[in-house]
Amino acid sequence: MKKLKSILTASINNCQLSIVLCLLLSACSITKYVPEGKYLLDKMDVKTDTKNVDNAELRDYVKQKPNYSKIRLRIYSLAGDTTNWFKRTLKKAGEPPVIYDSKLTRQSVNELKTEIGNKGYLNADVTVKIDTVPKKIKLKYNITANDPYRIRNYSIEVPEKDAIKLLQNREKRNRRLLKTGDIFAMKALDAERENVSQLFRNAGYYTFTTENLYYEADTTLRSNQVDLKLILRDTTGMKRYQINKVRVLSGYDPILQRRFRAQDSTKYRDLEIVYDKSHFLRPRILYDNITVRSGQFYSERATERTYNLINSLSAVNKGGIIYKEVVVNDTTKLDCDIFLTQADIHEIQFGIDGTNKAGDLGIASNITYSHGNIFNGSENLSVKLRGAYEFISSTDENDLVNNNYFEVGTGVSLTIPRIVFPFLSNKISRRFQANTQFGADFDLQKRPEYIRNFFSLSWKYKWNRTKRTASITHSLNFLDINYVMMPWMSESFEEYLNEETNFLTRATYDNVFTAGIGYSGTYSNINAGKYKERLYTLRYGAETSGNVLQGIFSLSKAAKNENGQYQILGNPFAQYIKADFDFSQTFQLDEKNGIAMHAAIGAAYPYGNSTILPFEKRYYAGGPNSVRGWTTRNLGPGSYRPSDDENQDLTAHTGDINLLFNVEYRYKFIQMLEFATFIDAGNIWTIKNYENQPNGQFKLNSFYKEFALGAGIGLRVDLSFLIIRFDWGRKIYDPASIDTNPWVFFQDLDHIKKNNALYFAIGYPF
């Protein structure tokens, strides 16, 4: 009782302290340290009357902005004098007031007028509205864009014949970035000039730059029209260069040139390779990862691709490319030298974690050894050992050790930096930075009631491609084999499963074999870091299992078990198909405010040799990345609700269909801290009508009534290298209570744990 009283007293004191601090901050004047006759810049905004210009982008050109955080400004004002260390510390944590400067306002007007003109609005008007209250000032920059200038005619004047052919081919492929009717904007003009320059540099014009080109624009026409010409400034950059020799200096570091001693050399096709002591990469591997070829014209694209390929090899610490002009038979050509510095190919990683599952404490550890060049082809071999031990609560005080739980496992993987498949050209690897992964895993779980083993074999291809506006990654599981078996179970557990009427519980512990193929990919824009951009990511994937086995067993007329299933290794194999789509997008309104949206849809269907999906392949809802008013695996399917006397087995809260929608508002009130408020909606459903999941089946005439709805608030700590997230969610609409009153938000407010969930997580939820 005394302990409870002390806890309550401490809680009351902490609450009182928080209230006092909030009152002090709110009562403290933010203009306390604004000099007499001066003004605090309280607010600033930029507005335009055209949708073609982003207001948030224009804010960058305003020379003076208000305080980033009013909270830090209040802390600064609260600190007062700095006669003691506490007040000095408090003042450092605060932010001094931004004093209005009229000169900066005039500069901002000029900057905005220049920038809006660069966007094609040459006749735009920029005015500033100034509102003053005692010691505070508010600025609003109003931009009247008026009609933009548009391109009437556009032509390119280049005298060199080969260059003219390049431009004509570009026209045929419709690669021109400027077209008739486009707004006369500097960003578009610069992009077109760079595009033409790249076209020439990829066709052999090694010394060509954007400085060789300039525009002539006639803006004297009526109706805001422009006649535009892109003209070659001079012909010094119009010489095409051929590649003479391509040489690799293996083990060479340009910074430490004197340490390199050429001890051996060889030639592989047209590639010359010079070694120091170490022959750390095979000639074939070097040739396959170098796209610059002797006899071809210089290409900036081939140079960049070679640079990316060699630096992606795990055996290479650093790679560089240098071109030198040489005269061969009175013709100036280019020698290409490629420098490779060997990486430290041995790596050991060790990790240890504490675990707490439902009050049962434990410890987990893993150790991984990697060799980054196991066969001198930059192949990465990784061997991992892992283990976990958990102290399970026991009612039998005489049998503490045997009632504990442990898990041990090992995994081996081999990553080869190219596509490994018969008759498939290595050009694919060079173009897409592809690799092949082989893996094998074994895991053993020992619990008081059973022993469970997990085996897996995988053969996977990965490749990616980066475009100007997007990054695309692909992963193909060419072969994915998993086998889960239970070689031993206690008599009591076996009796429990035999007597248990829950079909889902029994299916969860069945031995199961899966052998399938799957594909997954992501598509995302790459303009990260620019708050004015709309950042998005699309993830998609599909997988299937058991079809090949089903065909083989069916053609061979193999025998079936008593349940009408084919078996392999004495156990039925799983047969299903599954597909998922996941889309998230962030709208950054300005430096502080943003809105993030997320939608996910997935479906899986068991058929043929299966009546239900394997437990690991079923969907679940609730948790830190789902509907956050529900704890993990405690929502759905549909309006399913366990009876009061039913064992709360999490296997019952699984399904075959997943629908999820999230909206989150984010506000960064200081640089490291971000506040969020969110609304989540979603649920899972079963495709088939399972007896042990009543009201869980997906039905077109009722599924929309079974969307769970939750809302909450969150706090995120941005440490630059990671984001720590705290989220609190509360149920609003609970489909499990659809027969009574599903609107549970205002129910049981006196029970803090009921209808609520609190999460600690790393990273954003989507």
Side-chain angles (χ1 to χ4, degrees):
M1 189 67 184
K2 290 182 179 179
K3 185 177 181 180
L4 178 61
K5 185 176 180 180
S6 63
I7 293 174
L8 289 174
T9 303
S11 300
I12 292 172
N13 290 337
N14 290 334
C15 184
Q16 291 174 341
L17 181 62
S18 300
I19 293 173
V20 170
L21 183 61
C22 290
L23 290 174
L24 284 172
L25 288 175
S26 60
C28 187
S29 173
I30 59 177
T31 60
K32 182 178 180 180
Y33 290 98
V34 176
E36 192 65 33
K38 301 290 185 180
Y39 294 92
L40 170 73
L41 182 55
D42 188 40
K43 291 183 180 180
M44 184 277 296
D45 200 6
V46 179
K47 293 293 183 183
T48 62
D49 61 353
T50 175
K51 295 180 180 180
N52 295 328
V53 178
D54 190 348
N55 293 330
E57 184 180 351
L58 291 174
R59 290 173 64 93
D60 286 343
Y61 298 90
V62 176
K63 293 298 183 181
Q64 190 179 38
K65 299 181 179 65
N67 288 88
Y68 187 85
S69 170
K70 288 294 192 292
I71 294 176
R72 292 186 62 194
L73 176 58
R74 291 184 184 278
I75 291 174
Y76 183 91
S77 302
L78 181 65
D81 60 67
T82 56
T83 55
N84 59 63
W85 69 269
F86 176 75
K87 289 187 176 182
R88 287 196 296 270
T89 304
L90 198 62
K91 203 157 192 174
K92 288 180 180 178
E95 183 182 355
V98 175
I99 306 302
Y100 169 70
D101 188 335
S102 59
K103 292 181 180 178
L104 294 178
T105 300
R106 290 194 293 271
Q107 289 181 23
S108 299
V109 170
N110 293 332
E111 289 285 338
L112 289 171
K113 188 172 181 62
T114 300
E115 178 57 22
I116 197 73
N118 288 338
K119 294 182 179 298
Y121 296 86
L122 303 181
N123 296 325
D125 295 320
V126 181
T127 59
V128 57
K129 181 181 179 183
I130 303 176
D131 291 331
T132 58
V133 294
K135 285 199 156 186
K136 293 182 184 179
I137 202 165
K138 299 178 182 178
L139 299 179
K140 185 175 182 180
Y141 295 92
N142 293 306
I143 301 175
T144 304
N146 297 316
D147 293 333
Y149 276 70
R150 296 185 179 274
I151 298 172
R152 187 181 74 167
N153 296 307
Y154 171 55
S155 60
I156 303 177
E157 293 185 2
V158 180
E160 218 274 339
K161 292 182 180 180
D162 290 336
I164 292 174
K165 290 180 181 179
L166 287 174
L167 294 172
Q168 289 174 344
N169 290 333
R170 190 181 75 137
E171 293 290 329
K172 292 178 181 179
R173 298 195 303 269
N174 196 26
R175 297 292 179 87
R176 178 188 282 195
L177 300 184
L178 288 181
K179 298 179 177 63
T180 300
D182 287 352
I183 294 178
F184 180 64
M186 288 302 300
K187 187 176 181 180
L189 268 61
D190 290 341
E192 168 71 357
R193 190 169 68 154
E194 177 59 33
N195 182 267
V196 173
S197 299
Q198 287 181 352
L199 178 72
F200 290 148
R201 290 195 298 273
N202 287 326
Y205 297 93
Y206 171 64
T207 61
F208 198 95
T209 68
T210 55
E211 299 303 318
N212 292 98
L213 297 168
Y214 72 96
Y215 284 106
E216 278 189 0
D218 184 1
T219 59
T220 61
L221 304 172
R222 296 180 179 181
S223 303
N224 289 12
Q225 291 183 322
V226 180
D227 282 346
L228 187 66
K229 292 181 181 180
L230 182 60
I231 303 173
L232 181 68
R233 188 182 302 275
D234 55 57
T235 59
T236 56
M238 298 309 295
K239 175 178 174 54
R240 298 184 79 183
Y241 287 81
Q242 269 188 319
I243 304 298
N244 180 46
K245 291 193 305 184
V246 181
R247 184 176 62 162
V248 176
L249 281 76
S250 179
Y252 181 88
D253 190 338
I255 300 176
L256 306 172
Q257 297 182 25
R258 289 172 293 181
R259 296 189 181 183
F260 182 81
R261 295 291 183 270
Q263 299 189 12
D264 192 13
S265 65
T266 187
K267 190 157 186 171
Y268 185 86
R269 299 188 181 180
D270 59 351
L271 185 66
E272 182 182 345
I273 306 170
V274 181
Y275 295 99
D276 66 350
K277 296 179 182 180
S278 174
H279 293 53
F280 72 95
L281 283 174
R282 302 194 306 273
R284 171 66 184 273
I285 299 301
L286 293 173
Y287 183 83
D288 286 344
N289 286 277
I290 293 173
T291 60
V292 180
R293 295 284 183 258
S294 176
Q296 294 182 352
F297 283 108
Y298 165 81
S299 169
E300 184 180 66
R301 185 184 299 111
T303 304
E304 291 177 351
R305 189 174 298 161
T306 297
Y307 182 83
N308 292 332
L309 286 170
I310 62 177
N311 280 282
S312 66
L313 297 174
S314 60
V316 176
N317 178 48
K318 182 171 55 179
I321 302 175
I322 293 179
Y323 287 97
K324 298 177 182 178
E325 293 188 14
V326 293
V327 178
V328 180
N329 297 328
D330 297 329
T331 302
T332 304
K333 296 186 177 182
L334 294 175
D335 278 349
C336 177
D337 285 344
I338 300 172
F339 307 97
L340 300 181
T341 304
Q342 185 175 7
D344 185 0
I345 58 177
H346 300 282
E347 183 180 3
I348 295 180
Q349 295 180 337
F350 177 77
I352 187 168
D353 299 293
T355 61
N356 185 349
K357 298 179 181 178
D360 296 328
L361 301 179
I363 187 171
S365 179
N366 65 82
I367 183 170
T368 304
Y369 167 74
S370 298
H371 191 299
N373 194 27
I374 189 67
F375 302 122
N376 284 343
S378 201
E379 302 90 351
N380 188 289
L381 177 68
S382 177
V383 180
K384 185 173 184 177
L385 300 175
R386 54 188 177 270
Y389 194 87
E390 187 176 305
F391 302 93
I392 299 177
S393 304
S394 173
T395 57
D396 186 357
E397 297 180 358
N398 297 321
D399 191 14
L400 294 177
V401 175
N402 291 333
N403 277 303
N404 294 334
Y405 157 81
F406 72 84
E407 179 178 351
V408 293
T410 182
V412 180
S413 66
L414 177 65
T415 302
I416 302 173
R418 63 184 184 278
I419 295 293
V420 178
F421 198 84
F423 313 112
L424 197 61
S425 171
N426 281 321
K427 290 182 180 179
I428 296 177
S429 300
R430 292 196 297 269
R431 184 177 181 184
F432 295 103
Q433 290 186 243
N435 63 63
T436 305
Q437 296 179 359
F438 300 98
D441 283 273
F442 169 74
D443 201 69
L444 182 149
Q445 292 180 352
K446 171 65 173 69
R447 293 185 63 92
E449 58 270 36
Y450 62 78
I451 294 176
R452 206 174 191 195
N453 297 332
F454 299 81
F455 303 89
S456 68
L457 293 173
S458 63
W459 179 354
K460 184 183 299 184
Y461 297 105
K462 289 187 175 181
W463 67 99
N464 62 76
R465 191 176 185 183
T466 300
K467 297 183 177 181
R468 186 173 61 89
T469 58
S471 175
I472 310 168
T473 64
H474 307 270
S475 179
L476 173 65
N477 284 1
F478 183 72
L479 183 63
D480 189 8
I481 297 175
N482 294 274
Y483 182 42
V484 182
M485 63 174 296
M486 190 178 291
W488 175 86
M489 66 178 68
S490 66
E491 293 183 4
S492 59
F493 188 72
E494 186 173 6
E495 184 179 346
Y496 162 75
L497 288 182
N498 291 333
E499 293 178 354
E500 174 64 52
T501 58
N502 192 327
F503 164 72
L504 295 171
T505 302
R506 292 199 305 272
T508 300
Y509 294 101
D510 282 344
N511 296 346
V512 62
F513 182 92
T514 61
I517 186 171
Y519 165 81
S520 62
T522 62
Y523 186 95
S524 177
N525 66 342
I526 58 176
N527 295 320
K530 297 182 180 180
Y531 71 82
K532 59 180 175 294
E533 297 289 348
R534 297 180 178 181
L535 308 178
Y536 63 86
T537 299
L538 173 64
R539 298 180 179 88
Y540 41 90
E543 62 177 292
T544 183
S545 176
N547 295 324
V548 174
L549 291 176
Q550 176 79 10
I552 294 173
F553 279 87
S554 178
L555 291 174
S556 62
K557 298 182 179 180
K560 297 182 179 181
N561 64 11
E562 63 276 9
N563 295 320
Q565 297 172 300
Y566 294 114
Q567 292 181 305
I568 186 170
L569 300 177
N571 298 287
F573 58 84
Q575 190 174 6
Y576 64 88
I577 187 170
K578 184 178 182 180
D580 290 279
F581 293 90
D582 186 293
F583 180 77
S584 58
Q585 185 167 9
T586 302
F587 299 86
Q588 203 66 33
L589 306 177
D590 53 38
E591 302 97 323
K592 297 181 182 180
N593 299 275
I595 296 176
M597 297 189 299
H598 172 250
I601 179 172
Y605 181 68
Y607 61 95
N609 214 53
S610 295
T611 57
I612 189 171
L613 286 171
F615 177 74
E616 293 78 9
K617 298 297 181 180
R618 302 197 91 198
Y619 296 102
Y620 64 88
N625 301 317
S626 181
V627 186
R628 282 164 278 186
W630 280 257
T631 55
T632 305
R633 294 184 181 272
N634 271 290
L635 170 61
S639 57
Y640 164 75
R641 183 185 188 92
S643 59
D644 294 336
D645 58 345
E646 185 177 349
N647 182 24
Q648 290 292 320
D649 193 339
L650 296 183
T651 60
H653 294 286
T654 57
D656 312 314
I657 296 175
N658 173 55
L659 292 175
L660 176 64
F661 304 95
N662 313 83
V663 177
E664 185 170 281
Y665 166 72
R666 298 167 182 169
Y667 172 73
K668 185 167 285 191
F669 52 91
I670 62 175
Q671 201 66 36
M672 285 182 57
L673 294 179
E674 185 178 67
F675 168 79
T677 180
F678 53 83
I679 298 177
D680 304 323
N683 206 337
I684 55 173
W685 292 266
T686 62
I687 286 181
K688 299 182 180 181
N689 186 18
Y690 297 113
E691 179 182 352
N692 300 113
Q693 291 177 300
N695 303 317
Q697 188 179 18
F698 182 89
K699 296 180 180 179
L700 285 174
N701 61 353
S702 63
F703 83 95
Y704 59 90
K705 302 176 185 178
E706 297 171 333
F707 272 96
L709 187 64
I713 57 175
L715 183 69
R716 289 78 195 273
V717 182
D718 188 352
L719 302 179
S720 71
F721 60 92
L722 66 85
I723 292 176
I724 300 174
R725 174 164 58 99
F726 301 91
D727 280 341
W728 171 79
R730 180 168 177 82
K731 301 176 183 177
I732 296 179
Y733 181 90
D734 185 2
S737 304
I738 200 167
D739 294 331
T740 54
N741 181 13
W743 298 98
V744 298
F745 184 79
F746 294 106
Q747 298 178 20
D748 300 299
L749 293 177
D750 53 333
H751 294 84
I752 192 65
K753 289 185 178 181
K754 191 170 184 179
N755 297 331
N756 296 274
L758 183 64
Y759 299 103
F760 167 78
I762 301 297
Y764 284 115
F766 45 85

